[in-house]
Amino acid sequence: MLRPFRRRPAGGQNPIDAPLPPGTSPLLEIDGLSVGYEVGGAFTTVLDGVSLTVEDGEFVCVVGASGCGKTTLLKTIDGLIAPSAGEVRVSGRTAHPRHGDMAVVFQQDSLYPWRTVLANVRFGLDVRGRRSAETDARSRECIELVGLRGFENHYPHQLSGGMRQRVNLARALAVDPTLLLMDEPFAALDAQTREVMQTELLDIWTKQRKTVVFITHQLDEAVLLADRVIVMAAHPGRIREEIRIDIPRPRDLHTKRGERFTAYVDHIWNLIEEEVRRSLIPGTAQETRTGA
Amino acid sequence: MSGVTSRERRARHTTMPPAPGPRRRRGSGRRWRGYRAVVSFAGFLVVWHVAAEYLVANPLFLAGPISTVQAVGTMWADGTLQQDLLVSADEFLKGFGAGLVAGVLLGLLLGTSRRAKDYIDPLINGLYATPLVALAPLFILWFGIGETKTVLLVFMLVVLPIAINTDAGIRATDPQHLEAARSFGASRLQLFTMVRFPTSVSFLVAGIRMGIGRGLIGVVVGELFGSQSGLGYRILVSSQYFQTDVLLAGVLIFSVTGVLLVKIFEWLERRVAPWQSGQG
Ligand SMILES: Nc1ncnc2c1ncn2[C@@H]1O[C@H](COP(=O)(O)OP(=O)(O)OP(=O)(O)O)[C@@H](O)[C@H]1O
Ligand SMILES: [Mg+2]
């Protein structure tokens, strides 16, 4: 069995963390967060001293080599994993799924095969209360928002991969979260569908002004979407650099041809290249372990 | 929506109509399968007929398909068939119903409590491997030659596959599905009712299908040992008088009943769990 373990905070404050202007309180505050897993009696630190604040309405992308702890960070923000040290606060409260202010779009397709599109989108609302005309109407709205009108009564296995990810997004939007957490939602899609989904997501974000934390492997995706890109380092996972993306909005696919855009992508790539290479060669990645 | 979206949506409509597509292909496939079933069934009847009329050529040992069907007609006409069917159906439904309820409950217990599973699993595995029909004589000792012992036998045969499958279904729940539900704030009870139980339904369906076959065996065996009515009893008596046409008529009715029950159940399954179809 795997379970998070408790440990004293190892790292200090992240030096990159800019002090907040007095009076504003950020929507998401991550404070000296450490998370580890216990596997077969050995502890592995996955995140070490991660601190990050996200403003209300901000779109933040997180990039980093595979296995650096991005998914772990997201699940800890959502309260699915208990940190061994540090704290996550959303709107000033310690994060917990029951608070109902967050929703996750997972890396893997996690729709319920026995529920229709409509019922899948309604899932979060069903968890929170009785099914009613309003919850149905709300779900239909979200289905329309992601462009799937007419597919309400289809089952997931009758949809393409791109359509399924739209349903995943609609399911998260249906509970009207203040903070939307997305874990490589478009990774499994082909290049064209992914680009379409990116612009649609920007569209929805512009309309609804949600705060988004978006994990991705695609650096161009990160630069296209984000106000700020968080670059993570691995072993243990920590924040390496934060990069503010000063490209005016609205952005679309043409943005990707701009010089500024390419410069940002190159810069981020230079930051993580070495680590990505190392993560591809087995045995070279040193892990921080503490004995049982 | 952005322009790209509507462009994409238009493309989707030209290549893939919203009504699920492969209806025509599936229809013709079904028809072909229907033909093949008829051919194979007809072939079986021919072989049976030839064997009975020309190879064995003695109705005391093997009646042919024609005289078997005639026997069904005679039994219907004098009312014995209806009587026997009623008794057998009554026993089957009682035993199967009780087995289904108890099996699901037991499966839920096994699937939700590790400790209960540790205690009960060895017993279930042992019982499942035991040919339970061997207990029929003991049941006669306990309950006499009435209906009760047959019902009990059917129950014993039905409850195990249903419990085992329900348990397996609950344990087969995708961790990803559980995590998504948790992220929406689902309680433990909701994780069960909204994720684990629906997952187990397809397994339960398989268990019920097995239960139907085993339950019918229970009816026959129960009635072969110390009964005075029912189809199984009719089969036994007819063998004592060398009436192989009546004997095979009884067998035929059992097999038709089995097929019908499974068909009815498949129809129900399509109504209750439509997502199962088309998932391979
Ligand atoms: N449940 C778990 N139990 C033990 N170790 C885990 C568990 N989940 C993740 N890990 C380990 O934690 C580290 C970070 O995993 P995580 O899934 O957070 O990485 P990631 O950055 O999301 O990777 P990817 O980009 O490939 O999705 C990995 O080394 C992984 O082996
Ligand atoms: Mg991940």
Side-chain angles (χ1 to χ4, degrees):
Chain A
M1 273 324 294
L2 312 163
R3 64 187 160 81
F5 71 99
R6 305 218 144 254
R7 200 174 139 266
R8 292 228 50 83
Q13 285 292 113
N14 192 314
I16 302 162
D17 241 15
L20 282 166
T24 40
S25 114
L27 184 88
L28 170 66
E29 299 162 275
I30 303 172
D31 215 359
L33 195 70
S34 295
V35 182
Y37 293 104
E38 186 195 322
V39 183
F43 295 129
T44 310
T45 305
V46 173
L47 293 179
D48 195 12
V50 172
S51 295
L52 174 70
T53 56
V54 178
E55 299 301 322
D56 192 10
E58 201 179 2
F59 200 126
V60 169
C61 283
V62 179
V63 300
S66 183
C68 73
K70 304 184 293 295
T71 299
T72 304
L73 175 63
L74 194 93
K75 288 181 182 171
T76 314
I77 294 176
D78 193 49
L80 289 169
I81 299 177
S84 45
E87 201 190 2
V88 177
R89 283 186 304 277
V90 178
S91 311
R93 285 193 298 184
T94 304
H96 193 282
R98 292 277 164 74
H99 291 163
D101 44 12
M102 288 175 276
V104 187
V105 179
F106 285 96
Q107 190 166 3
Q108 293 95 343
D109 173 22
S110 60
L111 296 177
Y112 299 105
W114 56 86
R115 284 179 166 244
T116 60
V117 167
L118 179 66
N120 262 294
V121 172
R122 213 185 47 227
F123 186 86
L125 299 169
D126 286 351
V127 166
R128 283 162 202 198
R130 275 188 171 285
R131 179 183 176 182
S132 67
E134 286 109 88
T135 62
D136 269 25
R138 167 90 194 135
S139 309
R140 277 178 208 285
E141 252 169 57
C142 293
I143 290 170
E144 192 162 349
L145 190 65
V146 299
L148 281 183
R149 194 166 67 181
F151 291 90
E152 288 85 353
N153 296 319
H154 282 58
Y155 285 94
H157 74 267
Q158 297 169 315
L159 305 178
S160 70
M163 292 157 89
R164 275 205 288 270
Q165 261 330 32
R166 286 162 197 265
V167 180
N168 263 325
L169 178 59
R171 181 174 70 178
L173 291 173
V175 295
D176 198 18
T178 45
L179 177 59
L180 185 59
L181 305 170
M182 305 182 79
D183 191 358
E184 300 189 41
F186 308 147
L189 306 180
D190 64 87
Q192 286 91 33
T193 312
R194 191 189 310 136
E195 303 218 313
V196 171
M197 296 290 290
Q198 287 166 0
T199 48
E200 282 188 26
L201 178 65
L202 276 181
D203 242 39
I204 292 170
W205 176 72
T206 315
K207 277 184 207 149
Q208 305 212 337
R209 277 291 150 181
K210 303 242 173 264
T211 310
V212 182
V213 174
F214 186 106
I215 290 172
T216 178
H217 266 124
Q218 306 277 135
L219 302 186
D220 60 336
E221 183 169 81
V223 176
L224 176 71
L225 297 175
D227 294 319
R228 205 157 32 120
V229 175
I230 313 294
V231 183
M232 285 183 70
H235 307 298
R238 59 201 183 279
I239 293 176
R240 171 142 188 191
E241 196 167 322
E242 295 186 20
I243 297 150
R244 190 160 291 283
I245 307 295
D246 279 319
I247 298 177
R249 296 184 189 268
R251 303 175 191 162
D252 57 22
L253 295 179
H254 299 289
T255 311
K256 291 192 180 180
R257 301 214 191 90
E259 243 168 69
R260 290 266 275 303
F261 186 91
T262 331
Y264 276 124
V265 174
D266 284 348
H267 176 63
I268 298 171
W269 174 240
N270 287 334
L271 284 175
I272 63 173
E273 179 175 11
E274 193 197 342
E275 235 161 48
V276 171
R277 284 192 202 291
R278 231 185 301 146
S279 76
L280 296 178
I281 308 160
T284 51
Q286 77 278 19
E287 306 201 354
T288 1
R289 279 176 197 274
T290 1
Chain B
M1 274 293 111
S2 63
V4 188
T5 312
S6 55
R7 207 180 313 144
E8 194 215 30
R9 200 181 304 145
R10 224 173 300 135
R12 194 165 58 221
H13 280 304
T14 50
T15 53
M16 197 181 95
R23 168 169 289 160
R24 227 175 75 224
R25 221 180 63 220
R26 201 173 71 192
S28 75
R30 215 184 249 170
R31 209 160 76 218
W32 272 111
R33 267 187 300 180
Y35 287 144
R36 289 179 190 134
V38 167
V39 166
S40 119
F41 191 66
F44 168 75
L45 286 180
V46 168
V47 170
W48 180 10
H49 180 76
V50 169
E53 297 295 321
Y54 305 103
L55 294 179
V56 179
N58 183 349
L60 292 182
F61 290 107
L62 181 63
I66 297 170
S67 43
T68 299
V69 171
Q70 275 168 350
V72 174
T74 326
M75 287 158 74
W76 182 267
D78 65 19
T80 47
L81 179 57
Q82 291 90 316
Q83 247 173 14
D84 290 339
L85 264 181
L86 221 61
V87 172
S88 297
D90 185 51
E91 289 164 346
F92 177 81
L93 289 179
K94 281 179 182 160
F96 187 84
L100 179 62
V101 173
V104 169
L105 290 179
L106 185 58
L108 293 183
L109 177 66
L110 290 170
T112 46
S113 159
R114 184 73 239 178
R115 191 176 303 176
K117 190 173 166 69
D118 289 344
Y119 280 120
I120 304 173
D121 237 13
L123 301 180
I124 287 198
N125 288 335
L127 277 181
Y128 195 63
T130 310
L132 289 171
V133 293
L135 289 175
L138 184 66
F139 291 168
I140 297 176
L141 276 181
W142 291 350
F143 301 106
I145 56 174
E147 180 181 77
T148 317
K149 61 136 187 4
T150 308
V151 173
L152 189 63
L153 203 57
V154 173
F155 171 85
M156 297 280 292
L157 284 163
V158 169
V159 71
L160 291 180
I162 289 181
I164 290 171
N165 277 279
T166 308
D167 168 37
I170 289 170
R171 285 176 193 282
T173 308
D174 187 342
Q176 200 62 42
H177 286 158
L178 289 173
E179 191 149 67
R182 245 183 247 122
S183 81
F184 284 112
S187 65
R188 274 183 64 117
L189 180 67
Q190 283 174 322
L191 288 182
F192 185 79
T193 56
M194 298 175 76
V195 184
R196 290 187 200 273
F197 188 69
T199 306
S200 78
V201 165
S202 59
F203 285 74
L204 177 61
V205 161
I208 290 177
R209 201 186 295 247
M210 275 176 78
I212 290 175
R214 287 167 58 105
L216 285 176
I217 292 176
V219 171
V220 183
V221 173
E223 289 177 351
L224 283 179
F225 289 98
S227 279
Q228 286 168 321
S229 55
L231 267 179
Y233 167 74
R234 192 66 52 204
I235 289 173
L236 182 70
V237 171
S238 58
S239 83
Q240 285 159 0
Y241 292 102
F242 293 92
Q243 293 170 317
T244 53
D245 52 346
V246 177
L247 190 156
L248 288 176
V251 175
L252 183 69
I253 286 165
F254 266 119
S255 69
V256 169
T257 311
V259 171
L260 277 182
L261 283 176
V262 169
K263 286 284 169 211
I264 291 173
F265 177 69
E266 279 174 357
W267 174 83
L268 257 177
E269 183 188 347
R270 275 197 300 276
R271 300 290 310 262
V272 180
W275 66 89
Q276 302 276 357
S277 61
Q279 269 197 318

